């Protein structure tokens, strides 16, 4: 049985990868007008990938066949060799289970959530394309292949964020996410090619292959063939891609706006998979990242700052999806901080548990929005009796996010705090304070949106409410309930099923629990929950008391630290408000236009054409077809040859 499975092994990763792509093609070309069939095809694609991922996990757990790698030649030109292949190890197997497991829940949930949408088939085609792209990142065995799928993820996320493109806000959000990530990915691709160049130091063959790089880089560093400055530059350029995709400061500005997409998209892309791709990239390339202490230090501080700033932003949001979006950014900060503190395994552990409980929270929020037709927590309330399954599972996700024992977030977040305590005490303080903020803002959301009294609808300037009353709330249908229950179950048990040991491998070690850290983090989380309860439990008005308590500071945070305004000002240097472009931007544009017209087009393209035309004209005139002309040219040539010979 083992030999038979190993014989079939090379085909299983390809089946996992291409099943969602086949679903995308079938829906796009054949089932655009058949919503039910399109949903069935999409479910078949992601379930096939899930079964393949589970089978790889099961076989490895019984036979320990990892790591395994297979590839075929993709690009072969002088000095450049690139393969298209897969790399299987505990890291990729774990990520496959996360992507296909959470993905299956989201696909099933979407069949009910999106059933009345006119673009139902297009939604499932885009969702399947995203699953294919994300699985490509996970399976890629080299940097260049990973980058191709990295960009495919960007395309599919653009399609899903701007799915309701008829809404200007959704179209703008899709553009914003796409543009911010392209800026980040410019640094990423530069980093990839710098690593490729460094891999050939000392005359060796240049490569993008992860396994080859992991083997060769230690020797190149020990021999002094690679400078630490160049190495740190390469790592930080790669981190640019991470900062974009995993929404690190200051490039996290795109992710909250991406909530304009359908809520299941938020659960899949912006909680469990796409935004986790950056953390996965850091873990996959940890053999490189860990070689520079300076780069690790910078990465750790970026993660810590992101975790704190995003938690403060979550504290002042009224849109339930944006609360969860900023919470996601904050938790991604924790993961990046863990990598910077020297442990990719701990980062992946928190990535896995976070995928379960944050997807649960987003899908729970989606069920509330589906029932109440509002995203504003101040228009919700009294949902525990009307939507018991949704409310209880949301509470489970909240406790996991707050890090309360025995829920999964308690175990994974405490490992990060333990790392910080051992390696960087200021970051430990930041992480601990952020944990308290997390407990407070989630308690705020729970008391206002779920446990508190049913709130009246907000009135707008036309004196008409745009939403249904909270009293109309009803629990979700079973295709939405089932994923909620499954993810709630995983959020409870994930801390007990040996994820750290699986990531570390057969001969690896994982961090034991630090009971002092566990105790103090629990006290901090309970303090946050207690303060949130005292502040919001008996609140009768729809006015947030934090606004009055913190005044200008509250306003500064509500305006997102004015980062959006800063980037707009940066893009329109010295431009006057309300005008299209002036000052420095217009001058730069004029200079580039002059260079394009006079140098590139006139001197470059047109000049080359004129030169070719002139040379051709001269050659044409020499071809007269007359024997006398050719004889004269021949004689003149002989005279020149004799003259040149005599001079010598």
């Amino acid at each position: 049985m083992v030999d038979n499975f190993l014989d079939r092994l090379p085909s299983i990763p390809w089946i996992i990868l291409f099943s969602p792509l086949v679903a995308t093609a079938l829906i796009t070309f054949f089932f655009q007008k058949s919503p039910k069939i399109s949903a069935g095809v999409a479910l078949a694609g992601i379930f096939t990938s899930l079964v393949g991922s589970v089978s790889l996990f099961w076989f490895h757990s019984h036979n320990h066949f990892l790591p395994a790698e297979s590839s075929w030649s993709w690009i072969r030109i002088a000095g450049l060799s690139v393969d298209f292949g897969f790399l299987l190890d505990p890291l990729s197997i774990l990520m496959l289970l996360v992507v296909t497991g959470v993905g299956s829940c989201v696909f099933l949930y979407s069949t009910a959530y999106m059933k009345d949408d006119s673009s139902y088939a297009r939604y499932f085609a885009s969702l399947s394309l995203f699953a294919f792209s994300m699985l490509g990142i996970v399976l890629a065995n080299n940097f260049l292949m990973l980058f191709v799928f990295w960009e495919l993820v960007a395309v599919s996320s653009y399609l899903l964020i701007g799915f309701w493109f008829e809404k200007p806000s959704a179209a703008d959000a899709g553009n914003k996410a796409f543009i911010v990530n392209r800026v980040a990915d410019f640094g990423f691709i530069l980093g990839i090619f710098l690593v490729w160049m460094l891999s050939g130091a000392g005359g060796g063959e240049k490569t993008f292959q992860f396994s080859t790089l992991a083997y060769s880089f230690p020797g190149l560093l020990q021999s002094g063939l690679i400078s630490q400055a160049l190495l740190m530059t390469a790592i930080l350029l790669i981190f640019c891609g991470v900062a974009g995709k995993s929404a690190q400061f200051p490039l996290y500005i795109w992710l909250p706006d991406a909530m304009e997409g359908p809520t299941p998209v938020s659960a899949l892309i912006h909680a469990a998979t796409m935004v986790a791709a950056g953390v996965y990239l850091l873990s996959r390339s940890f053999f490189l990242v860990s070689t520079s202490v300076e780069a690790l230090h910078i990465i750790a501080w970026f993660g810590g700052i992101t975790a704190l700033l995003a938690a403060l932003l979550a504290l002042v949001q009224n849109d339930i999806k944006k609360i969860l979006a900023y919470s996601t950014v904050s938790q991604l900060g924790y993961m990046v901080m863990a990598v910077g503190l020297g442990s990719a395994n701990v980062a992946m552990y928190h990535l896995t548990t976070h995928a379960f409980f944050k997807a649960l929270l987003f899908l729970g929020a989606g069920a509330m929005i589906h029932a109440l037709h509002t995203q504003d927590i101040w228009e919700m309330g009294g949902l525990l009796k009307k939507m018991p399954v949704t409310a209880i599972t949301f509470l489970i996700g909240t406790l996991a996010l707050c890090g309360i024992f025995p829920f999964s977030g308690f175990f994974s977040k405490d490992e990060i705090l333990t790392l910080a305590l051992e390696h960087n005490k200021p970051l430990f303080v930041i992480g601990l304070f952020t944990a308290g903020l997390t407990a407070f803002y989630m308690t705020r959301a729970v008391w206002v949106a779920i446990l508190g009294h049913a709130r009246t609808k907000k009135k707008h300037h036309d004196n008409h409410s745009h939403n249904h009353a909270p009293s109309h709330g009803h629990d979700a249908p079973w295709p939405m309930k089932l994923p909620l229950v499954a993810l709630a179950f995983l959020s409870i048990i994930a801390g007990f099923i040996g994820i750290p040991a699986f990531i570390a491998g057969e001969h690896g070690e994982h961090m034991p629990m630090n009971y002092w850290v566990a105790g103090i983090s629990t006290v901090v989380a309970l303090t946050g929950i207690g303060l949130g309860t005292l502040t919001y439990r008996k609140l009768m008005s729809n006015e947030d008391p934090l606004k009055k308590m913190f005044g200008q500071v509250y306003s500064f945070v509500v305006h997102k630290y004015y980062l959006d305004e800063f980037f707009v000002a940066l893009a329109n240097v010295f431009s006057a408000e309300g005008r299209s472009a002036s000052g420095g931007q217009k001058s730069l544009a004029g200079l580039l236009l002059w260079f394009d017209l006079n140098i590139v087009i006139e001197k470059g393209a047109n000049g080359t054409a004129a030169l070719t035309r002139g040379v051709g004209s001269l050659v044409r005139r020499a071809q007269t077809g007359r024997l006398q002309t050719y004889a004269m040219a021949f004689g003149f040539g002989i005279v020149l040859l004799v003259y040149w010979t005599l001079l010598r």
Side-chain angles (χ1 to χ4, degrees):
M1 179 179 177
V2 171
D3 293 337
N4 190 30
F5 193 93
L6 286 172
D7 289 339
R8 297 200 308 271
L9 179 62
S11 65
I12 293 176
W14 299 124
I15 293 171
I16 293 171
L17 174 61
F18 286 106
S19 292
L21 182 62
V22 171
T24 301
L26 290 174
I27 295 168
T28 302
F29 296 115
F30 301 106
F31 302 123
Q32 280 288 338
K33 297 183 179 180
S34 305
K36 289 185 178 180
I37 297 177
S38 66
V41 169
L43 284 170
I46 194 66
F47 284 154
T48 300
S49 297
L50 174 61
V51 170
S53 302
V54 171
S55 66
L56 288 177
F57 169 76
W58 179 88
F59 187 75
H60 172 65
S61 62
H62 287 77
N63 298 281
H64 303 289
F65 73 94
L66 298 179
E69 186 171 0
S70 178
S71 60
W72 47 270
S73 180
W74 180 23
I75 300 172
R76 286 288 185 275
I77 57 177
L80 179 64
S81 174
V82 185
D83 290 341
F84 189 96
F86 65 79
L87 173 60
L88 292 177
D89 58 7
L91 180 65
S92 57
I93 295 289
L94 179 67
M95 197 67 180
L96 284 176
L97 291 171
V98 169
V99 173
T100 57
V102 176
S104 297
C105 290
V106 171
F107 275 58
L108 178 61
Y109 181 98
S110 297
T111 58
Y113 190 90
M114 299 294 292
K115 69 176 182 178
D116 295 325
D117 196 278
S118 58
S119 299
Y120 193 76
R122 175 167 63 87
Y123 171 83
F124 278 102
S126 301
L127 211 59
S128 297
L129 178 63
F130 170 80
F132 162 71
S133 306
M134 191 64 211
L135 290 170
I137 290 177
V138 175
L139 288 169
N141 69 339
N142 64 79
F143 269 117
L144 202 59
M145 178 182 167
L146 185 146
F147 185 77
V148 170
F149 283 103
W150 189 272
E151 296 305 298
L152 279 174
V153 163
V155 171
S156 51
S157 67
Y158 170 77
L159 295 174
L160 288 166
I161 293 168
F163 179 75
W164 290 313
F165 56 85
E166 65 276 5
K167 288 171 55 182
S169 57
D172 290 344
N175 288 332
K176 185 176 182 180
F178 194 80
I179 292 168
V180 170
N181 276 277
R182 296 298 64 71
V183 172
D185 291 350
F186 178 68
F188 182 23
I189 192 65
L190 290 178
I192 288 174
F193 280 105
L194 183 52
V195 169
W196 177 72
M197 289 178 62
L198 293 175
S199 69
E205 184 181 355
K206 297 172 184 173
T207 182
F208 295 103
Q209 213 85 358
F210 293 129
S211 55
T212 307
L213 289 168
Y215 175 77
S216 63
F217 254 83
L220 293 172
L221 285 167
Q222 288 177 4
S223 61
L225 292 171
I226 299 176
S227 73
Q228 281 293 328
L230 271 177
L231 182 63
M232 186 175 76
T233 301
I235 294 169
L236 293 180
L237 283 171
I238 288 173
F239 182 67
C240 286
V242 175
K245 199 74 83 188
S246 286
Q248 296 300 288
F249 175 83
L251 298 181
Y252 61 65
I253 56 171
W254 68 269
L255 193 140
D257 289 23
M259 297 302 106
E260 289 289 341
T263 302
V265 169
S266 302
L268 181 63
I269 295 184
H270 308 121
T273 55
M274 172 184 165
V275 292
V279 178
Y280 176 79
L281 170 62
L282 282 178
S283 302
R284 171 57 69 206
S285 58
F286 193 68
F287 65 87
L288 175 68
V289 176
S290 60
T291 57
S292 174
V293 175
E294 294 83 2
L296 284 174
H297 192 68
I298 292 170
I299 289 169
W301 273 101
F302 264 100
I305 291 168
T306 301
L308 176 60
L309 293 180
L312 288 169
L313 286 165
L315 202 63
V316 300
Q317 303 302 312
N318 297 323
D319 184 322
I320 191 167
K321 287 175 66 176
K322 287 194 175 182
I323 294 172
L324 298 177
Y326 281 117
S327 174
T328 298
V329 175
S330 183
Q331 298 305 306
L332 289 167
Y334 272 114
M335 298 172 209
V336 170
M337 184 172 75
V339 175
L341 291 170
S343 180
N345 290 351
V346 170
M348 287 301 300
Y349 183 22
H350 193 55
L351 183 154
T352 305
T353 61
H354 175 263
F356 298 147
F357 60 71
K358 188 53 67 64
L360 168 61
L361 289 169
F362 265 111
L363 294 183
M368 297 178 208
I369 295 166
H370 185 263
L372 306 176
H373 304 275
T374 180
Q375 295 179 198
D376 192 334
I377 59 173
W378 299 101
E379 296 176 1
M380 298 181 179
L383 299 183
L384 188 59
K385 292 182 179 179
K386 297 180 176 64
M387 305 177 66
V389 174
T390 300
I392 292 170
T393 53
F394 193 91
L395 287 171
I396 290 171
T398 298
L399 291 171
L401 175 57
C402 293
I404 302 300
F405 181 84
F407 301 96
S408 58
F410 166 81
F411 298 94
S412 57
K413 188 183 290 185
D414 277 9
E415 289 206 7
I416 298 174
L417 293 175
T418 301
L419 264 179
L421 181 64
E422 292 178 359
H423 298 288
N424 193 318
K425 287 183 173 57
L427 281 177
F428 171 74
V429 174
I430 289 175
L432 204 59
F433 181 61
T434 303
L437 289 175
T438 302
F440 185 88
Y441 68 67
M442 286 307 300
T443 303
R444 169 182 179 264
V446 165
W447 274 110
V448 175
I450 296 176
L451 299 180
H453 65 279
R455 299 174 182 275
T456 57
K457 300 169 289 181
K458 290 183 179 179
K459 299 292 182 179
H460 301 276
H461 40 264
D462 59 358
N463 279 334
H464 293 287
S465 172
H466 65 304
N467 297 312
H468 293 265
S471 59
H472 292 175
H474 54 82
D475 224 333
W478 76 264
M480 294 168 68
K481 281 182 185 176
L482 189 59
L484 292 176
V485 173
L487 290 169
F489 176 70
L490 289 170
S491 299
I492 295 170
I493 69 163
F496 300 98
I497 57 178
I499 294 174
F502 177 75
I503 301 171
E506 189 177 1
H507 304 293
E509 296 181 1
H510 63 272
M511 184 175 297
M513 178 178 288
N514 184 314
Y515 290 100
W516 185 85
V517 171
I520 194 170
S521 67
T522 300
V523 170
V524 168
L526 291 175
T527 301
I529 292 172
L531 290 174
T533 300
L534 287 173
T535 306
Y536 294 99
R537 182 184 178 185
K538 296 182 179 179
L539 186 68
M540 299 303 294
S541 71
N542 286 6
E543 187 73 22
D544 194 337
L546 293 180
K547 187 174 182 179
K548 187 177 294 184
M549 290 167 62
F550 293 100
Q552 292 300 316
V553 175
Y554 182 92
S555 177
F556 179 68
V557 178
V558 164
H559 284 91
K560 299 177 284 189
Y561 315 120
Y562 295 95
L563 270 178
D564 283 322
E565 289 80 359
F566 170 75
F567 282 117
V568 169
L570 197 63
N572 300 294
V573 183
F574 306 121
S575 64
E577 187 177 356
R579 295 166 60 186
S580 58
S582 62
Q585 185 188 13
K586 191 172 182 180
S587 300
L588 178 61
L591 178 63
L592 293 174
L593 178 63
W594 177 88
F595 181 83
D596 189 37
L597 291 175
N598 293 278
I599 305 300
V600 177
I601 296 175
E602 190 61 35
K603 296 294 189 295
N606 293 344
T608 303
L611 178 63
T612 305
R613 188 168 56 249
V615 172
S617 177
L618 288 173
V619 173
R620 186 175 65 251
R621 290 175 183 178
Q623 302 297 320
T624 63
R626 295 177 181 178
L627 185 60
Q628 299 92 323
T629 304
Y630 299 147
M632 183 179 68
F634 182 71
F636 186 67
I638 292 175
V639 170
L640 287 176
L641 184 61
V642 171
Y643 181 70
W644 180 73
T645 304
L646 291 174
L647 283 178
R648 288 185 62 190

